[in-house]
DNA sequence: GTCTATAGGCGGATAGAC
DNA sequence: GTCTATCCGCCTATAGAC
């Protein structure tokens, strides 16, 4: 992964202001969405003036784009890592691990991931190409996993893998709407969801 | 249903301008969401001046609230009607009919329903009490149907009905993100989805 | 790197003529 | 019922001092 490395290098050179701005933007985007979140709010929360943001970023779009892509990449990497850890497990166990990783990344780790969902679910903003690519790459992970499950017989051969993938991701991302830390347990939710769409084994 | 009757009566008295405004607002809200949709846009699309909207509505919130509630009520009534039509069918067939009705109402009939999803999914606006009530009432329909399926044995007794309901509605409403009229068939999608979460029978 | 100041436009909303 | 005119505040973005 070369991007994170480059990013860390850049941060070292400029004292992390850029990261601070992105962190703050992520938090505000998560609760407010694209249009409600203003540069004034971000600047205020960071503790600088609105105009100073333009030293670090060329536009609001650029800030949002970076937050959103970071969020999707974070979920992507978490799911890939979970699948690698469960490489030897049963297909059903791998599915459950992937779902658990997705939900954990979405709800347990920072604002970037939730902000991603909130901002680019629906076309609330003109979706940049980079975002489209990052999303597509993540979609491929699930396409592969579902194909694997179907080949292993954990999903019936007559089920449409594409419909299944869209339903599943929709349901997982929709959890930003109703999930609350105290009221649900992510591991249990993952178990429930996995049981819905694949046979145990 | 007394509300629609009252509404029709009102419309007769004022020439349908009110309905025209709501129709237009629904269309814009569907594609733009709450914050992106402005009174100026609505007025322009209707063909009147911004200020004239205030003769018909007290505020932007009032317009949005009415669109959203109409949308949810439309889906609610469609699903209830479908269940009534399939009163004698098997639990699985009733589930499939309900899913098909939800998806059809969501995608096949106007902008109100999609606007509802788009606007109040996430808390993009301060959710009025009336909206909360209308949503809750619709949620009850699914709670009842899922309980029925579980009692009939079409859903395993160890499945959490609440997790299942949230998964189901999240997946269905998420379809506003990817569903396109030519590329998917609603009846097929309903069949796929019903097969996913309940045993045939 | 951050500041002040400002440009130019759009947001919702109101007053009052017709 | 619709209009013109206007208020006031916030928006993104830029210019230029420090």
């Amino acid at each position: 992964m070369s991007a994170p490395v480059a990013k860390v290098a850049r941060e070292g050179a400029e004292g992390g202001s850029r990261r601070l701005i992105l962190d703050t933007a992520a938090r505000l985007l998560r609760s407010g969405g694209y249009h409600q979140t203003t540069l004034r709010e971000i600047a205020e929360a960071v503790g600088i003036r609105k105009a100073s943001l333009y030293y670090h970023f060329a536009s609001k779009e650029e800030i949002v784009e970076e937050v959103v892509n970071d969020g999707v990449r974070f979920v992507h990497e978490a799911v890939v890592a979970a699948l690698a850890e469960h490489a030897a497990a049963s297909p059903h166990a791998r599915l459950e691990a992937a779902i658990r990783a997705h939900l954990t990344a979405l709800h347990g780790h920072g604002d970037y991931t939730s902000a991603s969902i909130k901002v680019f679910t629906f076309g609330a903003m003109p979706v940049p190409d980079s975002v489209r690519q990052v999303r597509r790459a993540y979609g491929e992970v699930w396409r592969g996993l579902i194909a694997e499950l179907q080949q292993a017989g954990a999903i019936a051969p007559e089920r449409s893998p594409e419909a299944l993938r869209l339903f599943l991701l929709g349901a997982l991302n929709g959890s930003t709407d109703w999930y609350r830390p105290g009221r649900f347990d992510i591991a249990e939710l993952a178990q429930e969801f996995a049981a819905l769409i694949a046979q145990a084994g």
Side-chain angles (χ1 to χ4, degrees), chain A residues 9-145:
Chain A
R10 234 190 299 136
E11 281 169 42
E14 53 174 45
S17 310
R18 188 185 170 88
R19 187 86 276 161
L20 178 59
I21 292 168
L22 289 172
D23 286 351
T24 308
R27 181 161 44 80
L28 294 171
L29 285 167
R30 173 184 194 164
S31 61
Y34 178 77
H35 285 97
Q36 198 171 56
T37 303
T38 66
L39 296 180
R40 172 176 304 199
E41 273 182 315
I42 296 172
E44 219 161 273
V46 168
I48 59 175
R49 297 290 162 229
K50 211 175 29 163
S52 307
L53 294 173
Y54 286 88
Y55 174 79
H56 299 278
F57 300 92
S59 67
K60 178 181 179 180
E61 265 72 25
E62 195 177 295
I63 298 179
V64 174
E65 187 174 337
E66 194 150 333
V67 167
V68 165
N69 283 340
D70 278 4
V72 179
R73 279 195 214 100
F74 187 87
V75 178
H76 184 142
E77 286 169 24
V79 169
V80 167
L83 286 173
E85 265 180 48
H86 295 75
S90 73
H92 181 90
R94 279 165 57 75
L95 171 68
E96 188 177 326
I99 292 173
R100 193 168 53 241
H102 182 109
L103 289 176
T104 301
L106 198 54
H107 299 297
H109 283 285
D111 303 306
Y112 286 80
T113 51
S114 299
S116 297
I117 302 300
K118 174 114 185 188
V119 169
F120 73 53
T121 297
F122 319 110
M125 66 176 281
V127 185
D129 279 351
S130 74
V131 175
R132 227 184 291 274
Q133 281 176 359
V134 171
R135 285 190 77 176
R136 185 190 311 274
Y138 182 49
E140 286 306 320
V141 174
W142 284 97
R143 235 185 281 271
L145 180 58

Side-chain angles (χ1 to χ4, degrees), chain A residues 146-170:
Chain A
I146 288 169
E148 174 192 324
L149 282 155
Q150 208 161 23
Q151 273 185 314
I155 293 173
E158 66 268 26
R159 290 279 68 76
S160 155
E162 197 59 10
L164 201 152
R165 185 179 70 88
L166 292 167
F167 280 131
L168 176 66
L169 285 174

